[in-house]
Amino acid sequence: MTGLIAWGGDPRIVATRSEIERGSAVVGLAQSRLIGEVQPFDFLVDPIHRVIFALHLPALLFRLEQLRWACGAAADAYLSTEARVAQRVHWLSRLVAQHPWLDIMVPGFIVEKAGAIALGAVVGTQFVAGDVSKMLARELVDVYPALTGITRSVGDNSQAGARALESQLKPFGLLEPGKAHLIAEFGAGSLAAPTSIGGMAARLQSVHEQNEATVLVEKYKHGKHRMFVVYVPGTRDKTALPTSDPFDLSDAVALLANPNQAASQQAVLDAMKRTGIKSSDQLLMVGYSQGGTIAGDIAQGHLGFKASGLVTFGAPIAQLNLPHSIPVLAVEHSNDIVPALSGSVNPLTSNWLTVEREVPTSIGELNLHAHRMSEYVSTAGLVDVDVNGGVQRIREQVMKLFHNYKLVDSTNYQYQR
Amino acid sequence: MHVLSITIQEIANQLLSAKPDPALWQGDAARAYAANVDALVHDMLLLGQQLQANS
């Protein structure tokens, strides 16, 4: 037993909350329409047929109710406790989204204060134990743009949250993304391909912990075929003021708000172009935290590269529209709030595996401890030995990408802003 | 009475769209749910026909 909680990656079970809810809503509509057919006046016009119908109605309504119950039970069973609870508290964001008059009725300064309170609450989640912190952070990110009145969120909208945050803090000179430029390029010294997810995580950790913001690109060859593995670090500087590091907090927000403007994403794309990666090449994107979001954004396929796989650690990627044809492995910690910044929950699909572990924290210790890359290296080691069907399948699909390929070059690209 | 039978058939046909899209929800639970939707739609269509025949 590894203690990991995993969902997705199993072709026999695919479920998305939106589809289950859609089915339930259609059933609910049928219930309402049937009840609407029982009007006292109609019994006066054609009593016999209306009576026949009324006699059948309780059984029909009961069966419809059973269907709705089945939808609810399925959603509960498929999607984690965290997802269930997050869904329950979505009422607030939906309320604001569905009733725009609330924005008009409530004075602007109160709304602004509510936004600031929500923002403070995201920070406050650091002090809340366990899964609850991540769940609260996810909900607050989701509801934040609606509260600020800048844009209305209908759920699962990290971009709206980040844009709202940007527009509030930019007047103070905070969260300016800027531009990245290359300062150094040198051989990384890797001798062989990683043989496990844990090995991949360890390699990513060494990239993340370099003195300068570094993107590692490995080139593999098998005959005429080429494969590239791109390792993208996470947020390295966590102050709100712009720094010389393109992987700072400003860029983490910019990345969620407008990925194309983020210096960190510019750096990764620059490194990939310098290496000469083409859309015909096999490509595995590996990223941690902010780097995982960049890796995921590139894996979506709209930036001229065609990814063959994606591995992320502690990254908000639920908001991305990733291809169903590539294996996706998302490693998260249940008490790490960073993946929750997506404002959503990773889907349960056959190609997308999410594995979770709760990192033990001491009393008074910030939950950001659970976001450390060293903790993710440990979790990756557990992924390597987990026997869950979905875990095995996606792990094998990711590692199979290296099959027959030989590492021929590995280059570190370092950037400053 | 003709209207009621058509309405029931309409509701039954609408209910068919409650069946899951296999790309978004599949598995044993989805199959069981879809089979139950089919059975209910079938019974509702029968009721509609019965009402139509009696009118």
Side-chain angles (χ1 to χ4, degrees):
Chain A
M1 291 293 286
T2 59
L4 293 177
I5 295 170
W7 73 90
D10 186 341
R12 294 167 303 175
I13 305 169
V14 172
T16 53
R17 180 171 287 279
S18 58
E19 178 62 6
I20 296 173
E21 285 186 343
R22 187 196 63 78
S24 179
V26 173
V27 172
L29 186 64
Q31 278 178 314
S32 306
R33 288 193 66 188
L34 284 174
I35 292 168
E37 288 303 316
V38 188
Q39 302 295 334
F41 180 73
D42 292 333
F43 281 90
L44 299 175
V45 177
D46 195 348
I48 297 171
H49 292 99
R50 290 285 165 176
V51 166
I52 293 171
F53 173 67
L55 287 173
H56 281 87
L57 188 60
L60 291 176
L61 290 176
F62 178 71
R63 289 170 70 184
L64 285 165
E65 191 57 36
Q66 275 186 319
L67 285 176
R68 291 188 75 185
W69 180 86
C71 286
D76 281 1
Y78 286 133
L79 304 160
S80 68
T81 307
E82 172 196 358
R84 288 205 305 272
V85 182
Q87 190 63 21
R88 273 185 217 133
V89 294
H90 264 312
W91 65 270
L92 184 56
S93 48
R94 287 199 179 144
L95 185 74
V96 179
Q98 288 169 4
H99 302 283
W101 54 268
L102 280 172
D103 270 354
I104 302 163
M105 296 285 288
V106 182
F109 72 94
I110 291 179
V111 173
E112 274 175 29
K113 278 182 182 161
I117 290 166
L119 195 57
V122 172
V123 178
T125 57
Q126 279 304 291
F127 301 96
V128 179
D131 289 8
V132 181
S133 64
K134 191 168 159 187
M135 185 196 82
L136 285 173
R138 180 172 287 134
E139 182 57 24
L140 289 164
V141 166
D142 184 43
V143 79
Y144 175 75
L147 283 175
T148 55
I150 293 163
T151 174
R152 290 184 187 87
S153 168
V154 290
D156 307 347
N157 200 342
S158 60
Q159 189 178 52
R163 283 184 177 166
L165 184 61
E166 256 194 339
S167 63
Q168 286 206 324
L169 297 184
K170 264 190 176 172
F172 303 101
L174 303 173
L175 300 179
E176 290 288 348
K179 296 236 178 279
H181 63 271
L182 184 74
I183 56 162
E185 176 182 338
F186 55 93
S190 313
L191 297 171
T195 54
S196 63
I197 303 297
M200 219 176 276
R203 208 163 280 195
L204 180 59
Q205 183 185 17
S206 69
V207 170
H208 177 71
E209 290 174 356
Q210 295 270 339
N211 290 334
E212 298 288 346
T214 306
V215 179
L216 168 63
V217 185
E218 292 181 337
K219 181 180 176 185
Y220 294 80
K221 278 193 105 175
H222 167 47
K224 286 181 183 172
H225 303 286
R226 305 194 310 169
M227 181 176 85
F228 292 87
V229 184
V230 181
Y231 292 88
V232 189
T235 305
R236 294 155 44 84
D237 189 300
K238 296 181 176 71
T239 55
L241 287 168
T243 67
S244 62
D245 193 324
F247 286 82
D248 66 6
L249 190 62
S250 307
D251 277 284
V253 177
L255 186 68
L256 290 171
N258 297 298
N260 298 337
Q261 289 177 18
S264 49
Q265 179 141 318
Q266 291 165 22
V268 178
L269 290 171
D270 181 73
M272 291 173 74
K273 278 172 193 157
R274 284 175 190 276
T275 320
I277 302 174
K278 293 177 184 159
S279 60
S280 55
D281 294 322
Q282 198 156 281
L283 172 66
L284 173 62
M285 298 297 303
V286 184
Y288 161 56
S289 187
Q290 173 179 183
T293 308
I294 295 170
D297 193 32
I298 292 169
Q300 289 184 108
H302 62 103
L303 294 169
F305 299 102
K306 196 175 171 209
S308 321
L310 172 67
V311 178
T312 66
F313 300 91
I317 59 167
Q319 76 282 13
L320 300 175
N321 186 19
L322 294 165
H324 291 290
S325 54
I326 65 166
V328 177
L329 169 56
V331 183
E332 299 181 1
H333 291 149
S334 57
N335 48 343
D336 176 6
I337 65 160
V338 175
L341 298 177
S342 62
S344 186
V345 178
N346 294 348
L348 179 59
T349 59
S350 59
N351 70 313
W352 187 327
L353 167 73
T354 304
V355 286
E356 271 193 353
R357 173 175 77 96
E358 180 164 341
V359 175
T361 48
S362 320
I363 295 170
E365 192 172 35
L366 293 179
N367 272 331
L368 268 182
H369 172 80
H371 186 60
R372 285 183 188 161
M373 189 59 213
S374 54
E375 291 291 349
Y376 277 108
V377 174
S378 306
T379 310
L382 298 174
V383 172
D384 284 320
V385 294
D386 198 274
V387 292
N388 174 297
V391 177
Q392 285 189 24
R393 184 170 165 273
I394 296 298
R395 184 178 66 214
E396 280 166 16
Q397 284 185 8
V398 169
M399 297 316 298
K400 208 175 167 183
L401 293 172
F402 292 94
H403 198 56
N404 289 331
Y405 278 94
K406 243 187 162 176
L407 181 63
V408 293
D409 183 49
S410 63
T411 307
N412 278 322
Y413 296 90
Q414 294 194 321
Y415 291 87
Q416 272 190 356
R417 187 164 57 174
Chain B
M1 202 61 250
H2 179 71
V3 176
L4 178 60
S5 65
I6 287 178
T7 306
I8 290 171
Q9 284 169 1
E10 263 177 28
I11 297 171
N13 287 326
Q14 187 187 42
L15 187 60
L16 268 179
S17 67
K19 284 172 70 174
D21 176 346
L24 301 172
W25 183 19
Q26 67 179 55
D28 290 346
R31 273 189 293 279
Y33 168 76
N36 275 299
V37 171
D38 276 336
L40 185 53
V41 167
H42 177 257
D43 290 352
M44 285 173 71
L45 289 173
L46 274 182
L47 176 62
Q49 284 168 9
Q50 190 186 338
L51 292 170
Q52 202 166 18
N54 287 339
S55 60

